[in-house]
Amino acid sequence: MPNKRNILITGGAGFIGSHVVRLFVTKYPEYRIVNLDKLTYAGNLANLKDVEQAENYTFVKADICDFERMLEVFRDYRIDGVIHLAAESHVDRSIKDPFTFARTNVMGTLSLLQAAKMSWEGAYEGKRFYHISTDEVYGALDFDGTFFTETTKYDPHSPYSASKASSDHFVRAFHDTFGLPVVVTNCSNNYGPYQFPEKLIPLFINNIRHNKPLPVYGKGENVRDWLYVVDHARAIDVIFHQGKVADTYNIGGFNEWKNIDLIKVLIRTVDRLLGRPEGASEHLITYVTDRAGHDLRYAIDSTKLKKELGWEPSLQFEEGIEKTVKWYLDNQTWLDNVTSGDYQSYYEKMYGSR
């Protein structure tokens, strides 16, 4: 019996992608879920151990920039839906190596768009190309109570956000020029299990555990809106199935925190769960020179998504942080393997280094 849908999820071995893959594989057994990932440093198939044997799950190791390979994947698996998460996403890395970000985020997205256009050949009924972007394309906000909305003007300030902004424009241009059925979402900072420990929350949990310094940019006054990753996956599910073609939806947690305040919550939580006096690790905070192009404040207004499609976050931040810290402390082997890079050599043996 043919699958009801054949959905390609790019970057499905990464942090957010693995949560989306898991949700779709378990919730929609009638779908064929094709997880395509290059398995760079941030891609780890150990994130999907619990679903890798599912009958409706397939993994493909490939680079989204390889256009001919993308055409093969679309045709071999009869792809009728795309959830595009594959991206370089770390701002600090983009400052050191902007070319990689332009290649993956811009040319990789263009490769997928062209493959979808050529494979679907104008037969767009029932098809969908869903592109996941970031709130960083909007630039920065002042401390004036305003929020990013779906109509906020783009104003990227880092090579990372510039590359994502460019990819967003290509996605919308393929709708306007070719009629490709697209949808775009811009999301705030995610946190939760399986996040690569170069990002603030898993990095600091690990450093607190090992009594290592906690490097804080500037005075720690930059503000971010935080969303539990499982809630983001839920939003992606709703938007993929119910979102309007050619529309944009902002996904946020209505959950703003100054970096320094967030870090102190992390410290208290990790200390308590490790049996230390709460706040004992605050001496690990080390203030470092702020990075170039560091935006002051991000804040997403998700009102449209709530009103039109009924989605809203399910967890309060304190509950989400508690679950997140417990997960990293309970999964130290996963964290150690990622930190050491051992997982990469394991999967290179299985799938090759290319």
Side-chain angles (χ1 to χ4, degrees):
M1 186 174 180
N3 296 102
K4 185 176 179 181
R5 298 291 302 267
N6 296 296
I7 300 172
L8 176 66
I9 300 179
T10 70
F15 168 45
I16 300 172
S18 62
H19 286 276
V20 177
V21 167
R22 179 179 296 103
L23 175 62
F24 274 68
V25 167
T26 55
K27 185 175 180 179
Y28 301 106
E30 71 276 19
Y31 290 5
R32 163 62 64 184
I33 304 301
V34 179
N35 171 15
L36 187 144
D37 201 295
K38 187 181 177 182
L39 295 183
T40 62
Y41 76 95
N44 186 355
L45 289 175
N47 298 353
L48 291 164
K49 282 287 187 184
D50 54 332
V51 298
E52 65 182 6
Q53 299 300 323
E55 291 185 2
N56 65 330
Y57 172 76
T58 299
F59 173 70
V60 175
K61 184 177 187 294
D63 184 348
I64 59 173
C65 295
D66 185 344
F67 172 63
E68 295 300 328
R69 185 74 179 100
M70 294 306 99
L71 273 178
E72 288 178 4
V73 169
F74 269 81
R75 290 168 178 169
D76 289 351
Y77 295 100
R78 300 179 182 179
I79 299 300
D80 53 49
V82 178
I83 300 176
H84 176 34
L85 291 127
E88 295 283 349
S89 64
H90 192 50
V91 174
D92 289 355
R93 287 178 183 263
S94 80
I95 293 170
K96 295 176 182 176
D97 181 16
F99 287 99
T100 295
F101 281 69
R103 178 180 181 272
T104 300
N105 296 352
V106 183
M107 298 306 295
T109 299
L110 181 57
S111 174
L112 287 165
L113 288 164
Q114 185 72 355
K117 180 180 79 72
M118 291 179 63
S119 300
W120 296 341
E121 297 177 330
Y124 293 146
E125 184 69 29
K127 308 292 198 304
R128 172 148 299 191
F129 190 107
Y130 180 175
H131 175 67
I132 283 81
S133 188
T134 171
D135 58 357
E136 296 192 38
V137 299
Y138 296 127
L141 293 167
D142 292 323
F143 293 107
D144 57 2
T146 57
F147 293 85
F148 297 135
T149 71
E150 288 80 1
T151 59
T152 298
K153 180 182 175 182
Y154 274 28
D155 186 24
H157 292 159
S158 71
Y160 163 60
S161 56
S163 68
K164 290 298 290 184
S166 179
S167 66
D168 295 2
H169 291 320
F170 267 108
V171 172
R172 295 187 178 101
F174 263 66
H175 170 75
D176 294 346
T177 304
F178 307 110
L180 199 73
V182 306
V183 64
V184 175
T185 54
N186 300 84
C187 190
S188 59
N189 283 27
N190 281 217
Y191 71 98
Y194 300 109
Q195 188 170 28
F196 191 81
E198 67 183 356
K199 298 298 179 77
L200 189 152
I201 288 178
L203 172 67
F204 278 34
I205 291 171
N206 201 37
N207 284 11
I208 296 165
R209 180 180 181 270
H210 292 288
N211 290 302
K212 293 182 177 180
L214 306 176
V216 179
Y217 284 124
K219 297 179 180 179
E221 294 181 347
N222 302 72
V223 172
R224 299 294 181 262
D225 176 28
W226 292 91
L227 177 67
Y228 192 60
V229 64
V230 175
D231 281 333
H232 188 188
R234 289 177 44 247
I236 289 171
D237 177 20
V238 170
I239 293 164
F240 179 80
H241 289 96
Q242 301 176 31
K244 296 177 183 176
V245 170
D247 216 341
T248 299
Y249 298 90
N250 279 352
I251 308 172
F254 289 106
N255 181 39
E256 291 183 61
W257 285 79
K258 282 187 179 182
N259 285 348
I260 191 61
D261 294 336
L262 166 66
I263 290 161
K264 289 181 179 179
V265 169
L266 277 178
I267 289 170
R268 290 195 297 272
T269 306
V270 176
D271 282 344
R272 173 169 48 80
L273 292 175
L274 289 177
R276 302 171 182 170
E278 286 193 22
S281 299
E282 284 197 16
H283 71 279
L284 298 172
I285 294 174
T286 305
Y287 294 96
V288 298
T289 303
D290 207 353
R291 72 184 177 204
H294 197 180
D295 293 327
L296 186 64
R297 172 176 171 257
Y298 302 143
I300 281 275
D301 185 345
S302 299
T303 302
K304 175 181 176 180
L305 180 56
K306 181 178 180 180
K307 285 185 176 179
E308 294 190 7
L309 302 182
W311 175 91
E312 59 184 339
S314 67
L315 288 183
Q316 295 296 319
F317 186 66
E318 288 79 1
E319 182 184 0
I321 282 292
E322 185 86 7
K323 292 181 69 168
T324 299
V325 171
K326 283 182 178 178
W327 188 89
Y328 284 102
L329 295 181
D330 291 343
N331 289 272
Q332 195 61 42
T333 299
W334 178 92
L335 192 55
D336 290 343
N337 285 339
V338 171
T339 304
S340 68
D342 288 348
Y343 70 103
Q344 285 185 290
S345 58
Y346 173 74
Y347 289 115
E348 282 178 7
K349 291 177 183 176
M350 290 182 62
Y351 296 102
S353 59
R354 293 186 60 194

